Amino acid sequence: MIQADLIVDAKGLACPMPIVKTKKAMKELEQGSVMEVQATDKGSTADIKAWAESSGHQYLGTTEKDGMLAHYLRKSDGQEKEEMSHPHVASNEELETALSNRAEVIVLDVREAAEFAFGHIPGAQSLPLGEIDIALSDLDKEASIYVVCRSGSRSDMASQKLSAAGFKDVKNVVPGMSGWNGPIEKSVQ
Amino acid sequence: MSETKKTTIVLFSGDYDKAMAAYIIANGAAAYDHEVTIFHTFWGLNALRKEDQVPVQKGFLEKMFGKMMPRGADKMGLSKMNMAGMGPKMIKHVMKKHNAMTLPQLIDMAKEQDIKLVACTMTMDLLGLDQTELLDGVDYAGVAAYLADAQDGNVNLFI
Protein backbone atom coordinates (compact mmCIF):
# COMPACT_ATOMS: atom_id res chain seq x y z
CA MET A 1 0.00 0.00 0.00
CA ILE A 2 1.06 3.51 -0.72
CA GLN A 3 0.81 5.93 2.13
CA ALA A 4 -1.72 8.73 1.77
CA ASP A 5 -2.86 11.44 4.17
CA LEU A 6 -6.47 11.26 3.04
CA ILE A 7 -8.47 8.56 1.32
CA VAL A 8 -11.48 9.47 -0.79
CA ASP A 9 -13.91 6.66 -1.49
CA ALA A 10 -15.55 7.07 -4.88
CA LYS A 11 -15.97 3.36 -5.52
CA GLY A 12 -19.03 2.43 -7.53
CA LEU A 13 -19.76 6.04 -8.41
CA ALA A 14 -20.25 7.11 -12.00
CA CYS A 15 -19.03 10.21 -13.78
CA PRO A 16 -18.95 13.06 -12.69
CA MET A 17 -18.96 11.99 -9.03
CA PRO A 18 -15.31 10.90 -8.63
CA ILE A 19 -14.11 14.30 -9.75
CA VAL A 20 -16.72 16.18 -7.70
CA LYS A 21 -15.74 14.24 -4.58
CA THR A 22 -12.04 14.74 -5.24
CA LYS A 23 -12.50 18.46 -5.60
CA LYS A 24 -14.44 18.68 -2.32
CA ALA A 25 -11.90 16.61 -0.41
CA MET A 26 -9.00 18.61 -1.83
CA LYS A 27 -10.27 21.65 0.07
CA GLU A 28 -9.72 19.86 3.37
CA LEU A 29 -6.26 18.61 2.50
CA GLU A 30 -3.17 20.44 3.65
CA GLN A 31 -0.70 21.88 1.18
CA GLY A 32 1.83 19.25 0.10
CA SER A 33 -0.18 16.31 1.45
CA VAL A 34 -1.13 13.27 -0.57
CA MET A 35 -4.63 12.07 -1.38
CA GLU A 36 -5.71 8.66 -2.56
CA VAL A 37 -8.90 8.52 -4.62
CA GLN A 38 -10.43 5.08 -4.88
CA ALA A 39 -12.69 4.60 -7.86
CA THR A 40 -14.10 1.93 -10.12
CA ASP A 41 -15.12 4.22 -12.99
CA LYS A 42 -12.71 3.43 -15.83
CA GLY A 43 -12.79 6.97 -17.14
CA SER A 44 -11.64 8.37 -13.84
CA THR A 45 -7.94 7.92 -14.62
CA ALA A 46 -8.07 10.34 -17.54
CA ASP A 47 -10.48 12.61 -15.63
CA ILE A 48 -8.38 12.88 -12.48
CA LYS A 49 -5.20 13.43 -14.46
CA ALA A 50 -6.71 16.20 -16.57
CA TRP A 51 -8.37 17.79 -13.55
CA ALA A 52 -5.12 17.78 -11.56
CA GLU A 53 -3.18 19.36 -14.40
CA SER A 54 -5.75 22.07 -14.92
CA SER A 55 -6.15 22.89 -11.22
CA GLY A 56 -2.41 22.90 -10.53
CA HIS A 57 -2.26 19.83 -8.32
CA GLN A 58 0.33 17.17 -8.86
CA TYR A 59 -0.87 13.86 -10.30
CA LEU A 60 1.42 11.12 -9.03
CA GLY A 61 -0.02 8.00 -10.60
CA THR A 62 -2.63 5.29 -10.49
CA THR A 63 -2.54 1.70 -9.36
CA GLU A 64 -5.12 -0.92 -10.27
CA LYS A 65 -6.06 -3.96 -8.27
CA ASP A 66 -9.09 -6.22 -8.77
CA GLY A 67 -10.85 -3.58 -10.82
CA MET A 68 -10.34 -0.89 -8.21
CA LEU A 69 -8.33 2.12 -9.24
CA ALA A 70 -6.36 4.14 -6.75
CA HIS A 71 -5.31 7.58 -7.95
CA TYR A 72 -2.70 9.54 -6.07
CA LEU A 73 -2.60 13.33 -6.00
CA ARG A 74 -0.50 15.81 -4.11
CA LYS A 75 -2.03 19.13 -3.22
CA SER A 76 -0.20 22.12 -4.56
CA ASP A 77 -1.01 25.69 -5.41
CA GLY A 78 1.28 25.31 -8.40
CA GLN A 79 3.80 27.82 -7.15
CA GLU A 80 6.32 26.36 -4.78
CA LYS A 81 8.78 28.90 -3.50
CA GLU A 82 11.87 29.17 -5.59
CA GLU A 83 14.26 30.68 -3.05
CA MET A 84 16.90 28.30 -1.94
CA SER A 85 19.40 29.02 0.76
CA HIS A 86 21.42 25.85 1.20
CA PRO A 87 24.93 26.78 0.01
CA HIS A 88 25.87 23.45 -1.55
CA VAL A 89 24.00 22.67 -4.70
CA ALA A 90 24.45 19.92 -7.26
CA SER A 91 22.82 19.68 -10.65
CA ASN A 92 20.93 16.62 -11.83
CA GLU A 93 23.80 15.86 -14.20
CA GLU A 94 26.38 15.98 -11.41
CA LEU A 95 24.38 13.46 -9.42
CA GLU A 96 23.96 11.27 -12.49
CA THR A 97 27.71 11.32 -13.06
CA ALA A 98 28.42 10.53 -9.42
CA LEU A 99 26.02 7.58 -9.57
CA SER A 100 27.40 6.20 -12.82
CA ASN A 101 30.93 6.39 -11.36
CA ARG A 102 29.61 4.23 -8.53
CA ALA A 103 30.68 6.81 -5.99
CA GLU A 104 29.84 6.12 -2.35
CA VAL A 105 26.90 8.44 -2.01
CA ILE A 106 23.54 8.37 -0.35
CA VAL A 107 20.61 9.68 -2.36
CA LEU A 108 17.97 10.93 0.03
CA ASP A 109 14.54 11.44 -1.53
CA VAL A 110 12.54 13.78 0.70
CA ARG A 111 9.29 13.71 -1.29
CA GLU A 112 6.15 12.05 0.04
CA ALA A 113 6.13 8.26 0.06
CA ALA A 114 3.53 8.15 -2.73
CA GLU A 115 5.63 10.37 -4.99
CA PHE A 116 8.62 8.11 -4.32
CA ALA A 117 6.59 5.00 -5.13
CA PHE A 118 5.67 6.22 -8.62
CA GLY A 119 9.26 6.87 -9.68
CA HIS A 120 12.60 7.45 -7.97
CA ILE A 121 16.32 7.16 -8.60
CA PRO A 122 17.40 3.51 -8.19
CA GLY A 123 18.98 3.02 -4.77
CA ALA A 124 17.53 6.21 -3.32
CA GLN A 125 16.26 6.21 0.24
CA SER A 126 12.78 7.54 0.87
CA LEU A 127 12.57 9.98 3.75
CA PRO A 128 9.64 12.40 3.50
CA LEU A 129 10.44 15.91 4.69
CA GLY A 130 7.91 15.66 7.51
CA GLU A 131 9.67 12.65 9.02
CA ILE A 132 13.22 13.85 8.66
CA ASP A 133 13.73 14.84 12.31
CA ILE A 134 12.93 11.33 13.54
CA ALA A 135 15.22 9.58 11.09
CA LEU A 136 18.33 11.78 11.35
CA SER A 137 20.05 9.51 13.88
CA ASP A 138 19.98 6.56 11.44
CA LEU A 139 22.18 8.34 8.91
CA ASP A 140 25.94 8.54 8.72
CA LYS A 141 27.10 12.11 9.38
CA GLU A 142 30.31 11.63 7.39
CA ALA A 143 28.60 10.27 4.28
CA SER A 144 28.25 12.17 1.07
CA ILE A 145 24.54 12.90 0.82
CA TYR A 146 22.58 14.12 -2.17
CA VAL A 147 19.14 15.39 -1.20
CA VAL A 148 16.50 15.29 -3.90
CA CYS A 149 12.82 16.26 -4.24
CA ARG A 150 10.65 17.32 -7.18
CA SER A 151 11.71 20.92 -7.70
CA GLY A 152 14.59 21.54 -5.31
CA SER A 153 12.53 23.42 -2.73
CA ARG A 154 11.77 20.72 -0.17
CA SER A 155 15.27 19.27 -0.59
CA ASP A 156 16.63 22.73 0.21
CA MET A 157 14.82 22.71 3.53
CA ALA A 158 15.96 19.16 4.23
CA SER A 159 19.57 20.03 3.35
CA GLN A 160 19.52 22.91 5.80
CA LYS A 161 18.19 20.63 8.52
CA LEU A 162 20.90 18.06 7.85
CA SER A 163 23.68 20.66 7.90
CA ALA A 164 22.35 22.12 11.13
CA ALA A 165 22.37 18.63 12.64
CA GLY A 166 26.07 18.30 11.88
CA PHE A 167 26.13 16.46 8.58
CA LYS A 168 29.37 17.32 6.76
CA ASP A 169 28.70 16.74 3.08
CA VAL A 170 25.16 17.60 2.05
CA LYS A 171 24.25 18.70 -1.46
CA ASN A 172 20.85 19.86 -2.63
CA VAL A 173 20.05 18.47 -6.09
CA VAL A 174 18.47 21.11 -8.32
CA PRO A 175 15.96 20.87 -9.89
CA GLY A 176 15.53 17.26 -8.83
CA MET A 177 13.01 14.71 -10.09
CA SER A 178 11.06 17.15 -12.27
CA GLY A 179 14.07 17.36 -14.57
CA TRP A 180 15.56 13.93 -14.01
CA ASN A 181 16.62 12.11 -17.19
CA GLY A 182 18.51 9.26 -15.57
CA PRO A 183 17.17 5.81 -14.72
CA ILE A 184 13.94 5.55 -12.74
CA GLU A 185 12.66 2.80 -10.54
CA LYS A 186 9.06 2.26 -9.43
CA SER A 187 7.79 0.48 -6.36
CA VAL A 188 4.34 -0.05 -7.88
CA GLN A 189 3.06 -1.62 -11.07
CA MET B 1 -4.12 29.50 -10.06
CA SER B 2 -5.14 31.80 -12.85
CA GLU B 3 -8.45 33.65 -12.93
CA THR B 4 -11.68 31.67 -12.78
CA LYS B 5 -12.94 30.23 -16.00
CA LYS B 6 -16.56 30.26 -17.00
CA THR B 7 -18.85 27.63 -18.42
CA THR B 8 -22.30 28.54 -19.69
CA ILE B 9 -24.88 26.08 -20.89
CA VAL B 10 -28.19 26.83 -22.57
CA LEU B 11 -30.64 24.09 -21.71
CA PHE B 12 -33.35 24.33 -24.35
CA SER B 13 -34.40 20.69 -24.36
CA GLY B 14 -36.95 19.21 -22.00
CA ASP B 15 -35.70 15.67 -22.50
CA TYR B 16 -34.48 13.75 -19.49
CA ASP B 17 -31.35 12.43 -21.19
CA LYS B 18 -30.31 15.75 -22.70
CA ALA B 19 -30.85 17.56 -19.41
CA MET B 20 -28.80 14.89 -17.71
CA ALA B 21 -25.90 15.46 -20.08
CA ALA B 22 -26.14 19.20 -19.45
CA TYR B 23 -26.09 18.76 -15.69
CA ILE B 24 -23.25 16.23 -15.75
CA ILE B 25 -21.10 18.64 -17.75
CA ALA B 26 -22.12 21.49 -15.45
CA ASN B 27 -21.16 19.55 -12.33
CA GLY B 28 -17.89 18.49 -13.90
CA ALA B 29 -17.10 22.08 -14.83
CA ALA B 30 -17.85 23.20 -11.27
CA ALA B 31 -15.36 20.63 -10.03
CA TYR B 32 -12.89 22.29 -12.38
CA ASP B 33 -13.50 25.47 -10.41
CA HIS B 34 -15.36 27.04 -13.28
CA GLU B 35 -18.08 29.53 -12.62
CA VAL B 36 -21.05 27.72 -14.15
CA THR B 37 -24.36 29.08 -15.41
CA ILE B 38 -27.18 26.99 -16.83
CA PHE B 39 -29.68 29.10 -18.71
CA HIS B 40 -33.03 27.28 -18.93
CA THR B 41 -35.25 28.29 -21.77
CA PHE B 42 -38.34 26.78 -23.45
CA TRP B 43 -38.70 23.08 -22.56
CA GLY B 44 -35.58 23.18 -20.44
CA LEU B 45 -37.61 25.15 -17.89
CA ASN B 46 -39.46 21.95 -17.00
CA ALA B 47 -36.34 20.68 -15.27
CA LEU B 48 -36.82 23.46 -12.73
CA ARG B 49 -40.52 22.84 -12.06
CA LYS B 50 -41.65 21.79 -8.62
CA GLU B 51 -43.24 18.36 -8.51
CA ASP B 52 -46.34 19.49 -6.70
CA GLN B 53 -48.98 21.60 -8.32
CA VAL B 54 -48.87 25.22 -7.22
CA PRO B 55 -52.16 27.09 -7.45
CA VAL B 56 -51.69 30.05 -9.79
CA GLN B 57 -54.27 32.14 -11.64
CA LYS B 58 -53.77 31.46 -15.35
CA GLY B 59 -55.52 31.76 -18.67
CA PHE B 60 -56.91 28.69 -20.46
CA LEU B 61 -53.95 28.11 -22.80
CA GLU B 62 -51.39 28.55 -20.06
CA LYS B 63 -53.30 26.06 -17.94
CA MET B 64 -53.23 23.55 -20.78
CA PHE B 65 -49.50 24.05 -21.22
CA GLY B 66 -49.01 23.53 -17.53
CA LYS B 67 -50.93 20.26 -17.62
CA MET B 68 -49.22 18.91 -20.72
CA MET B 69 -45.64 19.65 -19.76
CA PRO B 70 -43.75 17.43 -17.30
CA ARG B 71 -43.89 18.69 -13.76
CA GLY B 72 -40.29 18.51 -12.59
CA ALA B 73 -37.08 16.84 -13.71
CA ASP B 74 -38.13 13.37 -12.69
CA LYS B 75 -41.18 13.40 -14.98
CA MET B 76 -39.34 14.32 -18.16
CA GLY B 77 -39.26 11.92 -21.10
CA LEU B 78 -36.40 10.63 -23.22
CA SER B 79 -35.36 12.10 -26.56
CA LYS B 80 -35.09 8.60 -28.02
CA MET B 81 -36.98 5.44 -27.15
CA ASN B 82 -39.41 7.16 -24.85
CA MET B 83 -42.09 4.57 -25.68
CA ALA B 84 -44.91 6.37 -23.92
CA GLY B 85 -43.06 6.54 -20.63
CA MET B 86 -41.56 3.04 -20.64
CA GLY B 87 -38.16 4.34 -21.74
CA PRO B 88 -37.57 6.59 -18.72
CA LYS B 89 -38.56 3.77 -16.36
CA MET B 90 -36.08 1.48 -18.02
CA ILE B 91 -33.24 3.94 -18.08
CA LYS B 92 -33.75 4.82 -14.42
CA HIS B 93 -33.49 1.15 -13.60
CA VAL B 94 -30.24 0.85 -15.55
CA MET B 95 -28.88 4.02 -13.96
CA LYS B 96 -29.52 2.60 -10.52
CA LYS B 97 -27.62 -0.51 -11.48
CA HIS B 98 -24.64 1.55 -12.61
CA ASN B 99 -24.84 3.93 -9.70
CA ALA B 100 -25.27 6.93 -11.97
CA MET B 101 -26.93 9.94 -10.42
CA THR B 102 -30.51 10.73 -11.38
CA LEU B 103 -31.42 14.09 -12.83
CA PRO B 104 -32.99 15.41 -9.58
CA GLN B 105 -29.83 14.38 -7.71
CA LEU B 106 -27.68 16.11 -10.32
CA ILE B 107 -29.72 19.29 -9.90
CA ASP B 108 -29.26 19.16 -6.13
CA MET B 109 -25.55 18.62 -6.62
CA ALA B 110 -25.45 21.59 -8.97
CA LYS B 111 -27.01 23.81 -6.32
CA GLU B 112 -24.59 22.51 -3.74
CA GLN B 113 -21.70 23.42 -6.03
CA ASP B 114 -23.06 26.94 -6.45
CA ILE B 115 -23.95 26.53 -10.08
CA LYS B 116 -26.11 29.42 -11.18
CA LEU B 117 -29.47 28.13 -12.40
CA VAL B 118 -31.20 30.74 -14.48
CA ALA B 119 -34.74 30.63 -15.82
CA CYS B 120 -35.52 32.64 -18.94
CA THR B 121 -38.37 34.95 -18.02
CA MET B 122 -39.54 35.52 -21.58
CA THR B 123 -40.18 31.82 -22.25
CA MET B 124 -41.69 31.46 -18.78
CA ASP B 125 -44.35 33.93 -19.91
CA LEU B 126 -44.88 32.03 -23.16
CA LEU B 127 -45.35 28.71 -21.43
CA GLY B 128 -47.34 30.28 -18.65
CA LEU B 129 -44.97 29.31 -15.87
CA ASP B 130 -44.93 31.34 -12.68
CA GLN B 131 -41.92 31.86 -10.41
CA THR B 132 -43.78 30.10 -7.59
CA GLU B 133 -43.95 26.96 -9.73
CA LEU B 134 -40.19 26.73 -10.10
CA LEU B 135 -37.61 25.49 -7.58
CA ASP B 136 -36.25 27.81 -4.93
CA GLY B 137 -32.83 29.32 -5.49
CA VAL B 138 -33.33 29.89 -9.21
CA ASP B 139 -32.33 33.20 -10.77
CA TYR B 140 -34.56 34.96 -13.28
CA ALA B 141 -33.09 36.74 -16.26
CA GLY B 142 -33.25 37.36 -19.97
CA VAL B 143 -30.92 36.94 -22.87
CA ALA B 144 -28.72 39.91 -21.97
CA ALA B 145 -27.86 38.44 -18.58
CA TYR B 146 -27.02 35.16 -20.25
CA LEU B 147 -24.80 36.87 -22.81
CA ALA B 148 -23.02 38.79 -20.09
CA ASP B 149 -21.90 35.45 -18.67
CA ALA B 150 -21.38 33.79 -22.05
CA GLN B 151 -19.30 36.49 -23.73
CA ASP B 152 -16.32 35.82 -21.52
CA GLY B 153 -17.10 32.15 -21.14
CA ASN B 154 -14.57 29.49 -21.99
CA VAL B 155 -17.12 26.77 -22.62
CA ASN B 156 -20.50 27.54 -24.19
CA LEU B 157 -22.99 24.81 -24.94
CA PHE B 158 -26.49 24.66 -26.33
CA ILE B 159 -28.33 21.52 -25.39
Side-chain angles (χ1 to χ4, degrees):
Chain A
M1 277 310 285
I2 297 168
Q3 203 191 324
D5 302 293
L6 182 69
I7 294 179
V8 177
D9 183 3
K11 292 194 288 287
L13 298 175
C15 174
M17 284 316 289
I19 215 77
V20 171
K21 276 197 123 173
T22 304
K23 190 228 166 185
K24 275 190 183 165
M26 197 55 101
K27 279 187 190 158
E28 289 155 30
L29 197 66
E30 263 181 62
Q31 199 72 254
S33 298
V34 173
M35 177 195 286
E36 176 184 336
V37 184
Q38 302 175 337
T40 46
D41 175 21
K42 293 284 172 233
S44 62
T45 308
D47 273 10
I48 296 259
K49 202 173 163 190
W51 178 80
E53 269 159 25
S54 134
S55 51
H57 302 295
Q58 188 187 341
Y59 169 77
L60 306 179
T62 296
T63 61
E64 185 175 1
K65 205 188 163 195
D66 305 328
M68 192 194 90
L69 300 159
H71 311 291
Y72 293 88
L73 299 163
R74 181 169 165 263
K75 182 165 180 167
S76 152
D77 56 4
Q79 36 190 299
E80 281 182 6
K81 67 173 179 94
E82 291 295 317
E83 304 159 35
M84 287 169 208
S85 45
H86 185 72
H88 307 291
V89 173
S91 67
N92 282 8
E93 290 70 27
E94 283 172 58
L95 173 58
E96 230 183 307
T97 315
L99 287 171
S100 56
N101 291 341
R102 300 182 182 277
E104 288 284 316
V105 297
I106 297 177
V107 180
L108 210 56
D109 192 323
V110 296
R111 296 173 304 157
E112 298 297 314
E115 295 177 83
F116 182 85
F118 283 104
H120 55 260
I121 299 166
Q125 289 183 30
S126 172
L127 180 57
L129 184 60
E131 294 161 26
I132 206 158
D133 293 323
I134 317 158
L136 278 182
S137 49
D138 299 340
L139 292 165
D140 179 8
K141 293 202 173 176
E142 307 294 327
S144 171
I145 300 179
Y146 286 84
V147 189
V148 61
C149 71
R150 189 175 63 93
S151 65
S153 156
R154 279 175 283 173
S155 51
D156 178 63
M157 276 151 81
S159 303
Q160 288 179 48
K161 278 194 173 178
L162 289 170
S163 300
F167 285 81
K168 305 262 162 51
D169 185 8
V170 179
K171 290 192 187 77
N172 177 22
V173 183
V174 177
M177 298 311 290
S178 58
W180 182 252
N181 297 317
I184 288 261
E185 198 174 75
K186 282 189 182 188
S187 353
V188 287
Q189 288 305 308
Chain B
M1 243 184 64
S2 54
E3 60 189 280
T4 10
K5 296 200 163 155
K6 277 188 183 185
T7 292
T8 55
I9 298 173
V10 179
L11 181 58
F12 177 90
S13 166
D15 297 323
Y16 191 93
D17 44 353
K18 291 188 180 179
M20 222 177 119
Y23 271 90
I24 288 175
I25 297 168
N27 277 300
Y32 258 86
D33 275 326
H34 285 201
E35 222 179 279
V36 187
T37 303
I38 307 179
F39 186 73
H40 301 72
T41 184
F42 280 90
W43 319 110
L45 284 168
N46 290 323
L48 298 178
R49 281 182 93 187
K50 285 178 185 155
E51 285 197 18
D52 305 313
Q53 191 170 359
V54 182
V56 187
Q57 280 289 344
K58 288 189 195 180
F60 175 72
L61 274 175
E62 282 85 359
K63 241 181 214 161
M64 287 301 288
F65 264 130
K67 279 218 162 60
M68 274 157 28
M69 291 188 306
R71 202 168 263 130
D74 205 37
K75 304 253 167 51
M76 286 161 43
L78 291 181
S79 64
K80 294 264 153 44
M81 305 201 299
N82 191 46
M83 300 180 287
M86 278 296 286
K89 282 209 177 72
M90 273 151 54
I91 205 161
K92 278 170 202 167
H93 181 78
V94 178
M95 275 161 56
K96 208 171 179 180
K97 207 171 92 186
H98 289 279
N99 238 329
M101 289 180 90
T102 64
L103 185 53
Q105 283 172 329
L106 283 165
I107 295 177
D108 287 343
M109 174 68 65
K111 283 185 182 165
E112 213 178 289
Q113 294 209 82
D114 293 322
I115 291 176
K116 204 158 102 189
L117 303 180
V118 184
C120 164
T121 47
M122 192 278 275
T123 40
M124 277 173 71
D125 289 344
L126 285 184
L127 301 179
L129 291 171
D130 192 80
Q131 296 200 0
T132 53
E133 290 177 276
L134 301 189
L135 301 175
D136 301 324
V138 171
D139 292 345
Y140 298 93
V143 70
Y146 166 72
L147 286 170
D149 283 335
Q151 67 178 354
D152 43 27
N154 305 81
V155 179
N156 293 313
L157 295 172
F158 184 95
I159 297 175

